[in-house]
Amino acid sequence: MKKLVVIPILAVCIILSGCSFLEETNDSINYVSEATDYINDLSSFVEESTSLEGEELANRVQTLQTTIEDFIRVEAPGFAEDIHQELKNKSETLLTATNELLNNGEVAIEQLQDSHVYQTIENITELMNQIENLGH
């Protein structure tokens, strides 16, 4: 009789630990995907911004700010905490640089190129290989 009780309990424990593993794997995949999308958005900004002027450029910088703020709020799974902290720190630097641009009034492409925005984005995109390796 005791065996009949132990077997279902063991089965439930195995299933729950398997679910935990699947959840961790899913979190890993989601984080890598979010981080990759974020870096791709930053790269797209660099490409697109060179052809924009005035209000269009200011709007694009504001959209970039929202993207940055959203990523900063992402919670990384345990295995990615170090790389996420590095991304978060660089993203906060990028957010500060974009705030300075917008606070100075009209945004011109020359201001953008002279600011730390492009350099910081380049620093962030250099982390892409590390992020891609998280998924493996």
Side-chain angles (χ1 to χ4, degrees):
M1 183 71 166
K2 288 183 182 180
K3 288 182 181 179
L4 292 177
V5 173
V6 172
I7 292 174
I9 292 174
L10 283 174
V12 168
C13 289
I14 291 170
I15 290 170
L16 289 177
S17 66
C19 290
S20 175
F21 174 75
L22 289 176
E23 187 176 314
E24 287 176 21
T25 302
N26 196 29
D27 288 347
S28 301
I29 292 169
N30 287 340
Y31 178 77
V32 170
S33 178
E34 281 185 74
T36 301
D37 289 347
Y38 173 65
I39 291 174
N40 287 336
D41 286 346
L42 296 179
S43 295
S44 293
F45 171 80
V46 171
E47 291 173 17
E48 294 169 7
S49 65
T50 58
S51 64
L52 301 175
E53 293 181 13
E55 193 168 323
E56 282 183 311
L57 183 56
N59 289 339
R60 187 64 179 96
V61 171
Q62 288 173 337
T63 301
L64 175 66
Q65 286 180 314
T66 302
T67 301
I68 297 166
E69 290 167 346
D70 289 345
F71 186 77
I72 288 172
R73 286 191 293 270
V74 167
E75 289 190 35
F79 75 93
E81 285 178 0
D82 291 341
I83 189 75
H84 182 70
Q85 189 59 49
E86 189 173 350
L87 270 170
K88 187 176 175 180
N89 291 342
K90 290 178 188 241
S91 295
E92 288 169 346
T93 300
L94 180 58
L95 189 58
T96 299
T98 58
N99 284 334
E100 289 172 3
L101 273 176
L102 292 175
N103 288 338
N104 290 334
E106 186 176 320
V107 179
I109 191 63
E110 295 81 24
Q111 290 175 301
L112 185 62
Q113 291 170 338
D114 291 342
S115 72
H116 295 287
V117 171
Y118 284 167
Q119 181 61 42
T120 305
I121 289 174
E122 185 177 312
N123 291 340
I124 292 172
T125 57
E126 290 172 358
L127 298 172
M128 183 64 117
N129 287 338
Q130 292 177 11
I131 292 168
E132 288 173 344
N133 288 333
L134 292 175
H136 300 290

